[in-house]
Amino acid sequence: MKELVKKLTEAFGPSGEENKIREVILDEIKDYADEVRMDVLGNIIARKKGAGEKLMLAAHMDEVGVIVTNIDDKGFLRFSNIGGISPFTLIGERVVFENGTVGVFGMEKMDDIKDLKFNKMFIDIGARTKEEAQKKVRIGDKAVYYRNCDIIGDYVTAKALDDRAGCAVLIKVLQNVKSPRFDTYFVFTVQEKVGLRGAKTSAFGIGPDLAIAVDVTKTGDTPESEKMAVELGKGPAVKIMDRSVICHPKIKEMLIDSAEKNNIPYQLEVLEMGGTDTGAIHLTKDGVPSGCLSIPTRYIHTPSEMASIDDMEKAVELLLYVLEK
Amino acid sequence: MLLKELTEAFGVSGAEHEVRNILKREIENCAEFRTDALGNLIFEKPGKGKKPKVMLAAHMDEVGLMITSIGKNGWLKFDTVGGIDDRILVSKTVVIGPNKVKGVIGAKAIHLQEPKEREIALKSKNLYIDIGAKDKEDAEKVVKIGDYAVFDSKYEVMGDLIKAKALDDRVGCYIITEILKKNYDLTLCGAFTVQEEIGARGATVAAYTLEPDIAIVLEGTFAADVPDTKEEGYSTTVGRGPAITLMDKTFIADRRLVDRVLQVAEQNKIECQLRRTAFGGTDGGKIHIAKEGIPTIVISVPCRYIHSPASLTSLGDIQNTIALVDALIKDFQERGI
Amino acid sequence: MELKETLMELLSAEMPSGSEVKTNNCLVEIFKRHCDDVRVDKLGNVIGRKGSENAKVKIMLAAHMDEIGLMVKQIDERGFIRFSYIGGIDHRILPAQEVIIHGREKILGVIGSKPPHIQEPDERNKALKSEDMFIDTGLSAEKVRQLVRIGDVITFKRKPVELLNGCFAGNALDDRAGLAAIIYCLQELDKLQFSAEVYAVATVQEEVGLRGAVVSTYHLCPDIGVAVDVCHGNMADVSEEETQKLGKGPAIALGPNIHPKLYERLKNIAEDYKIPYQVNPEPSATGTDAWVMQITKEGIPTALISIPLRYMHTTVETLCLEDIKLSGRLLALFISSLEENFVEGLRCY
C-alpha cells in the first residue's frame, strides 16, 4: 500500500490534465479488470463482472493545481487556481508542469499580506524573456505542487492524497476481489475538484443501482481545530452528510454493518463544507442510492496532506467485505 | 443589418421571443428548426449526413431587469436578471415590457446628498424606474408586474468598432446564422439557447436533446484591454481575433481540441488568441457534461464593457470568427474529430 | 377530511432532509386515500397517481416533504451535543429552543449557550454563533453515548398554534402547506371532470438543494410540472414589495423559470372562477423544485404556485389556511382545463 500511495501521489494530474495519473492507474488495474474503457471526459471505467446489481465505486484521480493565464515580456507567468487553493498556501511553494518544468511562486510588493490574492502572485520558471518562457510553458498549461511523498511511521504526507488515497483503496480492492456479488464498476473520475464533472458523466453512462465513492475528509484532531469527530488512524469514516449529499441510509447502514460484523474500526463523518463525487452520482437519472467512505486527512489541498496508511488498508478490508460478503 | 437588428431586439432571460423570431426568419431557408419547452430554437441542417455531427450554440438572452412591484406613486421597483453591476444602473434610460414604455432610473440630486452618501454604491434595491406615471393606476395601464426591461441603447459604428447592448451573445447568434447559410457535407445541428445568463439552463436541455459528436459554443466574452488594467489582466484583446477558452469556472477545455483550433487558424491564416483568464462561464459548461459527455470548444468574440448598455466589439473579429468556425467545420468534415 | 386535520396529520411526521425514507410511510398512507396508485422511488420521493394511466396529458405536482433541522456533529466528554445544520437556518433563532434528537430513541433536548452573566458586556451585542451553542439533554454522558450517534438528526419540537382569522403557526409548514394544497386539489378533482394523468409527488431533500425533484422529474418526465411551495408573507419589518399578503390567495409566479402559457392559464382560471390570487415576479432562481424540474431531460414546461408564509425557516412559520384551500382549488381547476392541444402548444414559441 505504501508504495502504491507513493506512486499515485507523486504522479501529475490536475483537473482536466489527467493523462499521467491515468497511465499509472491503468497500469495497476489492467490485469485485474474484465473490461476497461475511457469516456469522453477521460474517466477510467473498469468493470469486474458479477451477477447482482450494478455497483459503482468511484475515486477521483484529479488534484488541485494552477493554470497559466498569461506570460509577460520578462517571462513571468500569471495563473489562476484549479480547485480550492488558498493563495497563502502558495507562498514559498514550488510547482511542476507536466513536462517537468519547475517554477516558484513570487508575489508583488504589498503593504498588508492580508491583501494577498492570486492576481498579486506569479510563477517564476527562471526564464529571462517571454520567448524563453514560451519554449517551456504555454498559456493554458497546468501545474501541480512539486513535492515528494514521505512515509512517517504509519502516516503518510504527500500532495494529492485527495484523492489518490481513494484511488489506492479502489486499486487494492480491484486487485484482491475474487467474485463480487455486485456487477462492479471501478471508476477513476476526472475533474472532481472543479465540480464533480467526471462523476456526472460516468454515472450517466453506467446507470448504477447503487454507488459508493471513496474520498478524503477533514479531521478535528489537531490543536484548536474545528469541532469535528473524525481523527487520523481510527479507521475509515462512513459519511453521513456534506454539502453535496446526505448519504442514503441503506448504503450508510450497509457500510456500518459490514464494519461492525468484521470488527473493522470505523468512524462517522458529518462534514460541514465540501462535497464529493457522491453528490453528482446520487442525482443521476432517476436517482442512485449512494454513500461515501472517507479517508481522514489533515491539511487538505496543501502540498502536505497527511493520512494514515492503516485507515486506507481498513477501507480496503471493509469494501472487500461489502463486495464479497 | 442583421447584427443591428439582433442587438436592438429585446431578449432578457425568459423572454427571448423577439430575438428568436428574427433568427427564425434568418434561418428559415437554410435549416430545419423547432422550439422546445424552454424556448430554445433548435436547428438542424442535415447536409449530406456525414459524420461527425457538429453542434453550434449561442445564447439569445441578455441581462436586464424585471419589474417586481409598482409603488403608490407609480414608480417601478425592479430586480436584476443575470449578472449586472448595480453601480452601472443609475442615470440610465430603459425600455419596459411589450409596450416598450420608456423609463429612467434616477438618483437623488447631488445637492441633496451628504458627502458620505457618495461613497456608498447605490444598490438596485434602493433604485426605481420613473416612467412619468401620475400614480400606481396610471402606471398599471402600460406596465405589468413581471415585465422585463432592457437598456435603451442603439447599435452604432464607432471608428473600427461597433457599440451596442447585448453583444453578449448576439454576436454568437449572428455568427451561427452566417455559418448556416453555407453548405457542408456533415450534419450541422445546434441551438440558439435561452437563459444562459441565469445558469446556462437552455443549453442544459438542448445538449441533452441533440447528442452531437462535438459542440462549438460561440460567445461574446469580456475584454479588459483598457486603461488601468495591466496587460496580464486583459483576458482578451479587441481586434486580435476570436478567443479560445482554455478554462473558466464551468469548463476545462481538452487541450488537444484547443491545439486543433489553433492549427486550423494558422493554416487558414486567421488571427486568433487564447482567452487569458479562468473566470466566467458559458453554455459550454453544461454542454460538455451532458449525458456521457460531449467534446466541446468555446470560441468567443472579445467585447469591452459587457453586461452594460454600451459594449464595444470589432467587426473584424466577428468576420475572423466566422472564418475560423467555417474552417474548423471543414476540417472536421475532412479529418473527423 | 377537513383541511386542518390534513395539515395536522402531515405535520405529525418529522422529516429533516435526508432522513425521509425512515418516516415517509405516513405520507404513503395519506396519499393512498387520495390516489389510485402510490409508490416510493429510490431516494424516497413519494409518488401518487390519480387518473387513467397513459392519458394524453401527464402532469406532475410537487411539494417537498422535508424540513430544516440539525444534525449531531460531535458529543463531548460530558455528553453535550454539538450540531450542524440541515438546510438554511438563521442561528439567531436557536438559543433556548426545544429539540428532539432522533437517536436510538427520541430524546428531548434544549439548545444552550454560555449564560449571559459570565459574558463580556460587548459579547451580548453579538448574535450567538452555532459553534457557541450546544444541546443539553440532561442525561449522563454515558447514556447519551448509548442513545446518540454522530449523524443522528434533530428536529425542532412541534408546537402548532391557531391564531386569529384562520391563521396557523408552527414549524415545517414549509412545505407541508404545499402538500396540504396538493391533497386538497386531489379531493377537489373528485368533484370535477379531468382527463389528465396526475402525479402528486412529495419530494425529498428540497432544503439542501432541490435534490428529490431532480430524480423524480427525470423518472416521470411529465408534460407539465407544477411546484407548490411557500413564499414570503407580509411581515412588519420587510417592505411590501418583497412579500405577498396572507389571506389574499395563492401567489402565481412568473419569470424565466415559468412557462408563460402556464402562467397565463393559471391566471385566467383564477379570474374566471373568482379565486383571489397574487402575482409573484421571479427574476431568476425561484429556489423551489420548479427550478430543477424545468431543465430535466429535454426541458419541462413548469409553473409555480406559492402559499404566503411569514417567518420562513423559524419555528413559528405563520400562514392562513384559506390560502392553502384556494391554491388547491386553483390547481384542480387548472388540471381539469388541460387538453392535448394546449400541451402540444407549450413547445411552440
Side-chain angles (χ1 to χ4, degrees):
Chain A
M1 177 66 91
K2 285 178 186 168
E3 281 147 41
L4 180 61
V5 170
K6 188 168 168 63
K7 202 189 290 177
L8 291 170
T9 53
E10 288 180 354
F12 177 92
S15 312
E17 206 74 69
E18 295 94 348
N19 289 331
K20 287 244 164 99
I21 178 65
R22 188 161 38 234
E23 281 164 27
V24 175
I25 293 173
L26 282 173
D27 196 46
E28 291 291 333
I29 62 171
K30 61 177 192 291
D31 298 334
Y32 300 92
D34 296 325
E35 291 165 13
V36 179
R37 70 181 177 93
M38 252 69 71
D39 73 3
V40 164
L41 266 74
N43 297 300
I44 301 175
I45 301 171
R47 181 175 176 196
K48 182 82 182 174
K49 286 183 187 160
E53 294 175 295
K54 270 191 202 175
L55 167 68
M56 171 170 173
L57 295 175
H60 66 89
M61 57 179 157
D62 63 319
E63 62 184 302
V64 295
V66 295
I67 179 168
V68 175
T69 54
N70 196 65
I71 303 174
D72 75 14
D73 290 341
K74 292 187 173 157
F76 292 104
L77 320 178
R78 296 285 175 161
F79 65 94
S80 187
N81 60 312
I82 300 172
I85 294 182
S86 157
F88 294 95
T89 306
L90 300 182
I91 300 173
E93 270 307 321
R94 294 183 196 178
V95 285
V96 61
F97 289 85
E98 190 166 14
N99 64 7
T101 302
V102 173
V104 302
F105 288 99
M107 55 186 170
E108 299 171 6
K109 177 182 163 295
M110 249 167 292
D111 293 332
D112 186 347
I113 191 70
K114 280 187 190 146
D115 297 334
L116 185 67
K117 294 205 178 80
F118 293 119
N119 62 13
K120 304 260 185 206
M121 304 184 80
F122 49 84
I123 299 171
D124 187 341
I125 55 168
R128 279 161 296 188
T129 62
K130 187 173 196 166
E131 289 66 37
E132 202 181 323
Q134 279 173 334
K135 278 180 202 147
K136 292 176 170 175
V137 174
R138 299 171 301 170
I139 290 175
D141 280 355
K142 305 178 185 82
V144 300
Y145 295 126
Y146 184 50
R147 218 32 107 82
N148 289 333
C149 168
D150 283 308
I151 309 286
I152 312 173
D154 177 50
Y155 291 172
V156 54
T157 181
K159 74 168 177 70
L161 276 169
D162 174 8
D163 183 29
R164 307 288 162 73
C167 294
V169 169
L170 249 57
I171 290 168
K172 285 286 179 198
V173 171
L174 176 55
Q175 287 174 347
N176 290 293
V177 69
K178 288 181 187 72
S179 49
R181 67 188 172 108
F182 298 106
D183 193 9
T184 312
Y185 291 78
F186 293 79
V187 185
F188 299 88
T189 61
V190 297
Q191 301 195 28
E192 191 269 355
K193 289 269 142 273
V194 289
L196 322 180
R197 295 180 194 155
K200 182 174 183 289
T201 59
S202 56
F204 190 95
I206 294 165
D209 298 304
L210 64 167
I212 301 170
V214 183
D215 205 341
V216 299
T217 189
K218 288 202 272 193
T219 66
D221 63 347
T222 51
E224 295 299 315
S225 69
E226 61 186 291
K227 296 183 174 73
M228 183 173 176
V230 175
E231 299 172 51
L232 240 60
K234 295 273 174 78
V238 176
K239 187 185 288 291
I240 312 285
M241 172 171 92
D242 65 23
R243 289 292 280 270
S244 70
V245 66
I246 300 177
C247 294
H248 196 284
K250 191 171 95 182
I251 309 296
K252 189 174 79 187
E253 295 304 332
M254 180 167 88
L255 289 167
I256 292 173
D257 287 350
S258 302
E260 286 185 346
K261 281 193 191 129
N262 291 275
N263 294 321
I264 301 169
Y266 73 96
Q267 319 180 58
L268 295 170
E269 171 210 348
V270 177
L271 180 65
E272 294 190 305
M273 296 301 285
T276 181
D277 278 343
T278 318
I281 298 166
H282 85 295
L283 297 182
T284 300
K285 294 191 175 176
D286 55 352
V288 182
S290 308
C292 178
L293 193 62
S294 299
I295 308 298
T297 304
R298 294 176 186 158
Y299 326 122
I300 291 175
H301 291 191
T302 75
S304 303
E305 301 176 333
M306 185 181 280
S308 151
I309 293 285
D310 190 52
D311 289 344
M312 294 175 215
E313 276 165 354
K314 291 289 190 304
V316 173
E317 215 179 298
L318 177 54
L319 286 175
L320 279 172
Y321 185 78
V322 167
L323 285 186
E324 291 186 320
K325 191 167 291 189
Chain B
M1 197 211 154
L2 182 60
L3 189 57
K4 175 176 161 68
E5 198 183 359
L6 282 170
T7 53
E8 288 180 2
F10 262 45
V12 181
S13 313
E16 297 88 352
H17 48 273
E18 282 192 21
V19 183
R20 188 165 43 231
N21 287 341
I22 296 169
L23 291 168
K24 276 185 189 173
R25 185 199 70 206
E26 275 308 304
I27 65 171
E28 204 168 34
N29 296 322
C30 46
E32 296 156 17
F33 63 82
R34 65 190 163 85
T35 51
D36 71 6
L38 269 74
N40 289 310
L41 180 58
I42 310 261
F43 57 81
E44 190 156 342
K45 180 166 181 160
K48 289 182 185 155
K50 267 182 78 172
K51 286 271 192 186
K53 182 170 157 188
V54 178
M55 170 176 177
L56 302 173
H59 66 91
M60 298 185 283
D61 64 317
E62 65 188 295
V63 296
L65 311 173
M66 180 187 264
I67 307 303
T68 54
S69 75
I70 303 174
K72 288 190 201 81
N73 302 321
W75 290 325
L76 318 178
K77 294 295 284 185
F78 61 88
D79 215 332
T80 51
V81 182
I84 293 185
D85 180 347
D86 281 357
R87 293 171 301 178
I88 69 155
L89 293 169
V90 184
S91 189
K92 300 291 183 311
T93 313
V94 295
V95 186
I96 309 149
N99 297 323
K100 308 254 158 143
V101 178
K102 298 250 175 162
V104 296
I105 304 175
K108 189 156 78 170
I110 189 164
H111 324 75
L112 307 175
Q113 292 173 14
E114 302 285 335
K116 277 232 159 132
E117 279 182 71
R118 277 174 242 159
E119 287 165 24
I120 302 161
L122 286 165
K123 293 263 179 228
S124 61
K125 113 189 233 194
N126 309 115
L127 298 168
Y128 52 86
I129 300 170
D130 189 342
I131 55 170
K134 278 182 286 192
D135 52 25
K136 184 172 181 182
E137 212 174 45
D138 196 26
E140 279 173 345
K141 285 179 201 153
V142 287
V143 174
K144 288 199 307 281
I145 290 178
D147 277 355
Y148 291 90
V150 299
F151 297 115
D152 185 20
S153 173
K154 295 281 172 234
Y155 175 98
E156 278 170 276
V157 177
M158 293 170 58
D160 293 337
L161 305 182
I162 55 157
K163 179 219 85 178
K165 74 168 176 66
L167 283 170
D168 168 17
D169 180 34
R170 305 294 155 71
V171 287
C173 296
Y174 173 74
I175 291 163
I176 291 182
T177 56
E178 292 300 308
I179 293 291
L180 284 178
K181 287 172 188 166
K182 302 175 193 292
N183 290 311
Y184 304 97
D185 293 344
L186 52 68
T187 303
L188 277 185
C189 66
F192 296 106
T193 63
V194 296
Q195 302 189 23
E196 191 270 351
E197 298 291 358
I198 55 171
R201 297 167 59 76
T204 308
V205 299
Y208 188 96
T209 306
L210 286 166
E211 294 190 310
D213 298 310
I214 189 161
I216 305 173
V217 177
L218 280 316
E219 258 290 2
T221 191
F222 64 89
D225 55 336
V226 294
D228 295 336
T229 306
K230 282 185 274 180
E231 205 184 327
E232 64 260 22
Y234 283 4
S235 176
T236 64
T237 312
V238 170
R240 294 275 172 78
I244 321 299
T245 297
L246 291 156
M247 176 174 168
D248 64 28
K249 288 284 168 221
T250 63
F251 169 70
I252 297 177
D254 187 328
R255 185 83 210 200
R256 292 167 301 177
L257 284 174
V258 174
D259 289 344
R260 176 95 174 254
V261 178
L262 295 177
Q263 192 190 5
V264 169
E266 202 180 323
Q267 283 163 1
N268 292 275
K269 302 201 168 46
I270 302 164
E271 188 178 20
C272 74
Q273 56 186 319
L274 291 169
R275 191 173 174 274
R276 304 175 296 281
T277 179
F279 285 105
T282 71
D283 278 344
K286 296 295 184 190
I287 294 170
H288 86 292
I289 50 171
K291 289 192 176 170
E292 293 186 58
I294 296 166
T296 301
I297 297 167
V298 180
I299 302 177
S300 308
V301 178
C303 302
R304 290 184 196 143
Y305 327 117
I306 60 169
H307 292 200
S308 91
S311 39
L312 303 181
T313 194
S314 144
L315 284 173
D317 287 347
I318 296 176
Q319 289 312 324
N320 276 331
T321 310
I322 295 169
L324 178 59
V325 174
D326 175 52
L328 204 51
I329 293 171
K330 283 180 183 148
D331 190 59
F332 288 142
Q333 195 164 278
E334 277 155 32
R335 297 200 290 143
I337 302 174
Chain C
M1 199 174 193
E2 279 299 308
L3 174 63
K4 200 167 76 192
E5 290 164 41
T6 308
L7 190 59
M8 289 303 291
E9 194 180 358
L10 285 167
L11 283 173
S12 68
E14 291 163 311
M15 298 189 282
S17 318
S19 64
E20 303 93 337
V21 282
K22 292 181 176 165
T23 42
N24 59 8
N25 247 332
C26 156
L27 281 174
V28 173
E29 290 309 313
I30 298 174
F31 271 34
K32 271 186 184 159
R33 295 202 291 267
H34 305 285
C35 298
D36 301 331
D37 172 50
V38 180
R39 62 192 133 125
V40 177
D41 81 1
K42 292 184 206 166
L43 294 197
N45 294 299
V46 176
I47 301 171
R49 177 180 55 79
K50 190 177 180 72
S52 54
E53 268 181 292
N54 306 318
K56 293 266 162 52
V57 177
K58 189 167 163 187
I59 178 167
M60 167 173 170
L61 308 176
H64 65 92
M65 66 171 99
D66 63 318
E67 61 192 277
I68 54 168
L70 306 171
M71 181 180 274
V72 177
K73 182 168 82 169
Q74 198 179 37
I75 303 167
D76 80 5
E77 63 284 0
R78 293 167 61 205
F80 291 109
I81 292 166
R82 300 282 180 174
F83 54 83
S84 179
Y85 297 157
I86 301 173
I89 293 179
D90 178 353
H91 48 86
R92 292 173 303 179
I93 71 156
L94 295 175
Q97 205 66 257
E98 289 177 44
V99 296
I100 308 286
I101 302 158
H102 299 256
R104 293 190 204 275
E105 53 190 67
K106 287 189 187 182
I107 305 162
L108 179 66
V110 172
I111 300 184
S113 58
K114 190 159 84 168
H117 321 82
I118 57 164
Q119 287 177 22
E120 302 294 330
D122 62 333
E123 252 182 284
R124 273 189 251 174
N125 296 327
K126 287 181 200 147
L128 285 164
K129 286 185 278 183
S130 67
E131 55 260 40
D132 302 327
M133 290 180 259
F134 45 79
I135 296 168
D136 192 338
T137 58
L139 301 173
S140 68
E142 201 180 312
K143 189 81 181 163
V144 171
R145 278 177 200 289
Q146 254 172 38
L147 295 176
V148 181
R149 279 194 309 184
I150 290 165
D152 284 349
V153 297
I154 302 163
T155 53
F156 296 101
K157 198 177 163 192
R158 296 265 196 269
K159 288 175 184 171
V161 285
E162 273 189 82
L163 306 175
L164 298 175
N165 300 316
C167 286
F168 192 88
N171 56 347
L173 287 173
D174 170 8
D175 183 32
R176 305 298 156 81
L179 283 175
I182 289 180
I183 289 163
Y184 193 85
C185 159
L186 296 174
Q187 288 172 317
E188 286 287 294
L189 281 177
D190 286 334
K191 303 177 207 158
L192 297 167
Q193 290 212 319
F194 68 99
S195 59
E197 183 179 355
V198 182
Y199 285 93
V201 183
T203 60
V204 298
Q205 302 194 31
E206 191 268 357
E207 296 290 0
V208 290
L210 320 175
R211 295 180 191 152
V214 172
V215 300
S216 54
T217 314
Y218 188 98
H219 173 66
L220 291 171
C221 198
D223 298 309
I224 295 173
V226 183
V228 188
D229 211 327
V230 294
C231 63
H232 295 289
N234 52 326
M235 282 167 278
D237 48 355
V238 181
S239 76
E240 240 175 66
E241 296 124 16
E242 292 172 57
T243 57
Q244 307 288 336
K245 291 190 182 65
L246 257 62
K248 300 281 180 176
I252 308 174
L254 83 165
N257 191 189
I258 308 302
H259 197 292
K261 287 179 185 166
L262 293 182
Y263 167 73
E264 286 298 327
R265 173 66 66 99
L266 282 163
K267 200 172 67 123
N268 292 341
I269 284 175
E271 274 163 13
D272 290 350
Y273 290 88
K274 306 217 160 25
I275 298 172
Y277 71 95
Q278 316 178 59
V279 177
N280 179 18
E282 292 278 9
S284 181
T286 55
T288 67
D289 283 341
W291 189 241
V292 294
M293 291 167 88
Q294 189 186 22
I295 53 165
T296 301
K297 290 191 177 176
E298 300 191 6
I300 312 279
T302 311
L304 167 63
I305 289 185
S306 307
I307 298 153
L309 177 90
R310 291 180 185 143
Y311 327 121
M312 202 183 287
H313 286 199
T314 71
T315 53
V316 291
E317 296 178 331
T318 301
L319 54 68
C320 179
L321 289 174
E322 189 63 18
D323 290 333
I324 299 181
K325 247 186 216 178
L326 292 169
S327 305
R329 182 160 161 73
L330 174 61
L331 276 172
L333 290 165
F334 169 73
I335 290 168
S336 156
S337 82
L338 295 173
E339 26 75 31
E340 207 182 340
N341 281 343
F342 174 73
V343 171
E344 274 175 15
L346 294 173
R347 283 172 198 280
C348 302
Y349 276 85

